[in-house]
């Protein structure tokens, strides 16, 4: 009987969007504030401030930790010291995914600018060898990236729901598969199983699909159903007992381990109190990360759950220890008034919503409705997850759209920003390549799911 045993939890104080583990049991967790928590060989972690905005992807080589971020940067750090060796700016939008080849000679990076950069790691200074390009007719952003074990094929997924297959040497895709998942694809992974190249894609339709891939075409061979929310991440893995498995993580807070031979569910476990954003595996170690501000290390084995050792890293910003100034700032940006009122963190966490509206000076039906949503999120996540807030108004979005800077905004707010003459990103202040906007269906459904009756 396969089971998960929790070895330890790494508290970061911030939402954790990605994670990685290597053969030496070095573990990295990428956070929403641009920091990476690095725990080396089971020791207490330390924080590396590598990016200006959120960390989007992580991977290890034997000598380096590589990270990407919403600040468009790829950062390569010396693994023993954490010293930044290289900072690469080869994309014009947030870098969303990374993949390093097994021999650590090449690094692939996928971005919201609809390109994949192929980067050589053999030189003293990493060099971009070539750029693979998604067709301009597809407005979706690259959401996932994987490479075949022999490096002959590269697959990238788009938020539009399309899969693109490249040979890695020419900029144009060999072919595309449209509408792979309803409402977009969130991620992918690829392996060689029984002599057949197998791709897994996951999406907002709550399914994982297995594809047989060739140089000229691919076909779906199995659709796995078990999650009740969007699936955010997936990884193939071979366990120490030589069982081939597929692991998926979802916004339903669970992780599922599937038997790759039969497609059967070996186990499903509630691993976090909030969305599971990332998973990483090595041998019998599974690492998961979540917007509940933790990165958890699990043993994939039989046996009882071990004692949980929570390692606090960085500033712990749970609601309980918010300062009066933090409480006041939060109330103000959510439409309240704090003049003449003394609202404590304890009241913010526990008071009846209507009572809290009165204390915070929130008036009007629309104002109360918006404030109620924000309080519900604050209590559910011990801090509003920034990905659900419009960066312009700092309110929970109801009609989110993605601009060409890769960030999501409330449609009315970004349209007003653009109509007022701005041609720059409200988030990064960089020039927008175009003023086109794409509906973020995945994010809208996540938000609607939180507040559905």
């Amino acid at each position: 009987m396969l089971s998960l045993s929790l070895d330890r939890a790494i508290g970061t104080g911030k939402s954790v969007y990605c994670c990685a583990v290597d053969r030496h049991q070095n573990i990295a967790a990428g956070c929403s504030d641009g920091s990476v928590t690095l725990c080396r060989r089971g020791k207490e972690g330390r924080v590396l401030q590598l990016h200006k905005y959120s960390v989007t992807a992580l991977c290890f080589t034997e000598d380096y930790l590589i990270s990407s971020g919403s600040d468009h940067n790829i950062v390569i750090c010396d693994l023993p010291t954490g010293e930044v060796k290289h900072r690469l700016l080869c994309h014009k939008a947030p870098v969303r995914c990374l993949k390093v080849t097994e021999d650590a000679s090449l690094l692939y990076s996928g971005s919201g600018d609809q390109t994949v950069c192929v980067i050589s790691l053999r030189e003293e200074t990493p060099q971009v060898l070539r750029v693979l390009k998604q067709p301009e007719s597809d407005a979706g952003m690259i959401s996932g990236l994987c490479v075949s074990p022999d490096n002959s094929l590269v697959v990238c997924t788009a938020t539009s729901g399309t899969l693109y297959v490249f040979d890695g040497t020419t900029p144009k895709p060999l072919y595309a598969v449209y509408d792979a998942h309803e409402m977009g694809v969130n991620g992918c992974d690829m392996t060689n199983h029984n002599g057949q190249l197998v791709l897994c894609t996951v999406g907002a339709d709550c399914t994982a699909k297995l594809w047989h891939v060739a140089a000229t075409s691919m076909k779906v061979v199995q659709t796995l159903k078990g999650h009740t929310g969007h699936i955010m991440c997936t990884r193939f893995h071979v366990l120490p007992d030589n069982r081939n498995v597929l692991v998926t993580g979802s916004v339903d807070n669970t992780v599922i381990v599937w038997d790759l031979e039969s497609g059967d569910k070996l186990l499903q476990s509630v691993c976090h109190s909030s969305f599971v954003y990332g998973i990483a595996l090595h041998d019998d170690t599974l690492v998961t990360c979540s917007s509940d501000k933790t990165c958890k290390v699990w043993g994939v084995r039989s046996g009882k759950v071990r004692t949980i050792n929570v390692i606090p890293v960085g500033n712990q910003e749970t609601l309980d220890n918010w300062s009066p100034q933090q409480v006041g700032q939060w109330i103000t940006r959510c439409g309240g008034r704090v003049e003449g009122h003394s609202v404590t963190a304890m009241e913010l966490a526990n008071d009846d919503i209507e009572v809290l509206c009165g204390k915070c000076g929130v008036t009007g039906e629309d104002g109360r409705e918006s404030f109620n949503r924000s309080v519900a999120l604050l209590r559910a996540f011990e801090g509003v997850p920034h990905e659900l807030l419009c960066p312009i108004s700092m309110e929970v979005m109801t009609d989110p759209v993605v601009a060409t800077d890769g960030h999501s905004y409330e449609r009315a707010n970004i349209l007003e920003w653009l109509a007022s003459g701005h041609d720059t990103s409200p988030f990064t202040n960089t020039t927008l390549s175009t003023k086109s906007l794409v509906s973020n269906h995945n994010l809208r459904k996540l938000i609607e799911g939180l507040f559905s009756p």
Side-chain angles (χ1 to χ4, degrees):
M1 180 72 179
L2 194 65
S3 65
L4 291 183
S5 172
L6 183 60
D7 291 342
R8 59 181 173 141
I10 303 166
T12 65
K14 302 290 182 181
S15 292
V16 188
Y17 291 152
C18 53
C19 56
V21 59
D22 71 1
R23 68 186 185 92
H24 302 294
Q25 295 298 302
N26 294 311
I27 295 167
C31 301
S32 58
D33 65 346
S35 67
V36 174
T37 296
L38 177 62
C39 299
R40 290 189 35 82
R41 295 174 173 82
K43 298 179 181 178
E44 290 195 10
R46 57 176 170 150
V47 176
L48 308 175
Q49 192 65 45
L50 300 181
H51 295 272
K52 188 174 181 180
Y53 308 117
S54 57
V55 183
T56 54
L58 291 164
C59 59
F60 284 107
T61 68
E62 191 68 22
D63 301 312
Y64 298 115
L65 167 65
I66 306 174
S67 65
S68 65
S70 295
D71 58 3
H72 309 185
N73 282 273
I74 299 170
V75 179
I76 302 177
C77 292
D78 182 74
L79 193 51
T81 65
E83 176 187 359
V84 175
K85 305 296 288 186
H86 306 286
R87 188 176 291 272
L88 310 177
L89 186 57
C90 48
H91 289 284
K92 298 179 181 179
V95 184
R96 302 172 67 90
C97 39
L98 297 172
K99 180 67 177 181
V100 66
T101 56
E102 291 185 9
D103 62 0
S105 63
L106 295 175
L107 173 69
Y108 294 82
S109 60
S111 168
D113 63 7
Q114 302 176 324
T115 67
V116 173
C117 284
V118 185
I119 303 166
S120 173
L121 298 178
R122 291 191 182 279
E123 290 77 13
E124 186 174 342
T125 300
Q127 301 291 328
V128 177
L129 300 179
R130 49 196 166 271
V131 178
L132 314 180
K133 296 182 179 180
Q134 179 179 307
E136 293 182 2
S137 57
D138 188 344
M141 297 180 296
I142 292 176
S143 56
L145 173 67
C146 57
V147 183
S148 62
D150 63 359
N151 300 340
S152 63
L153 293 178
V154 179
V155 177
C156 68
T157 64
T159 55
S160 60
T162 304
L163 312 179
Y164 293 99
V165 181
F166 298 85
D167 65 8
T169 61
T170 54
K172 293 184 178 180
L174 298 173
Y175 61 91
V177 176
Y178 301 97
D179 300 320
H181 289 264
E182 293 182 17
M183 310 302 287
V185 188
N186 293 330
C188 61
D189 197 21
M190 191 155 40
T191 191
N192 198 315
H193 181 60
N194 293 335
Q196 173 67 56
L197 197 57
V198 180
L199 170 74
C200 178
T201 59
V202 295
D205 56 5
C206 310
T207 67
K209 294 184 179 182
L210 297 178
W211 309 71
H212 282 174
V213 182
T216 57
S217 64
M218 71 169 75
K219 63 178 181 179
V220 177
V221 293
Q222 196 164 16
T223 300
L224 306 177
K225 298 180 180 180
H227 286 290
T228 58
H230 300 203
I231 306 177
M232 304 302 292
C233 49
T234 183
R235 288 291 182 270
F236 288 108
H237 190 59
V238 181
L239 295 174
D241 62 4
N242 291 321
R243 270 189 288 184
N244 290 275
V245 298
L246 174 73
V247 185
T248 53
S250 167
V251 301
D252 64 9
N253 307 352
T254 73
V255 166
I256 296 180
V257 181
W258 310 83
D259 186 291
L260 191 54
E261 297 286 351
S262 64
D264 293 336
K265 190 190 301 183
L266 296 177
L267 69 85
Q268 183 168 12
S269 177
V270 178
C271 292
H272 290 272
S273 61
S274 188
F275 307 158
V276 179
Y277 279 124
I279 51 180
L281 296 113
H282 184 77
D283 287 342
D284 64 350
T285 297
L286 166 68
V287 181
T288 62
C289 63
S290 168
S291 53
D292 67 3
K293 306 178 184 178
T294 66
C295 181
K296 293 183 177 180
V297 185
W298 307 83
V300 186
R301 58 176 78 91
S302 299
K304 297 180 179 179
V305 176
R306 299 181 183 181
T307 302
I308 301 173
N309 176 26
V310 179
I311 305 174
V313 179
N315 295 322
Q316 301 298 303
E317 293 189 357
T318 58
L319 182 54
D320 290 340
N321 60 18
W322 272 17
S323 68
Q325 183 180 12
Q326 286 176 301
V327 173
Q329 289 173 343
W330 185 87
I331 292 172
T332 299
R333 77 185 187 193
C334 290
R337 298 189 306 274
V338 293
E339 295 83 5
H341 300 284
S342 179
V343 179
T344 66
M346 188 66 70
E347 291 172 324
L348 196 56
N350 298 295
D351 272 11
D352 177 81
I353 294 291
E354 288 302 316
V355 173
L356 196 58
C357 281
K359 289 182 178 179
C360 296
V362 178
T363 58
E365 184 176 344
D366 290 342
R368 285 175 177 267
E369 183 179 349
S370 175
F371 190 76
N372 288 355
R373 288 200 302 266
S374 297
V375 172
L377 278 172
L378 180 70
R379 292 174 176 178
F381 292 91
E382 291 192 329
V384 180
H386 74 85
E387 67 269 22
L388 304 186
L389 301 178
C390 173
I392 298 174
S393 67
M394 293 307 295
E395 292 185 352
V396 178
M397 292 178 279
T398 57
D399 185 13
V401 294
V402 182
T404 54
D405 62 355
H407 296 284
S408 293
Y409 303 89
E410 178 66 25
R411 186 185 297 274
N413 294 337
I414 187 65
L415 286 175
E416 182 180 354
W417 170 271
L418 298 173
S420 64
H422 293 96
D423 62 354
T424 57
S425 162
F427 195 84
T428 65
N429 203 35
T430 56
T431 302
L432 296 170
S433 58
T434 72
K435 293 186 177 182
S436 62
L437 304 172
V438 178
S439 294
N440 193 333
H441 300 294
N442 292 354
L443 183 57
R444 188 185 73 243
K445 285 196 170 293
L446 285 179
I447 294 170
E448 289 175 350
L450 286 170
F451 302 106
S452 59

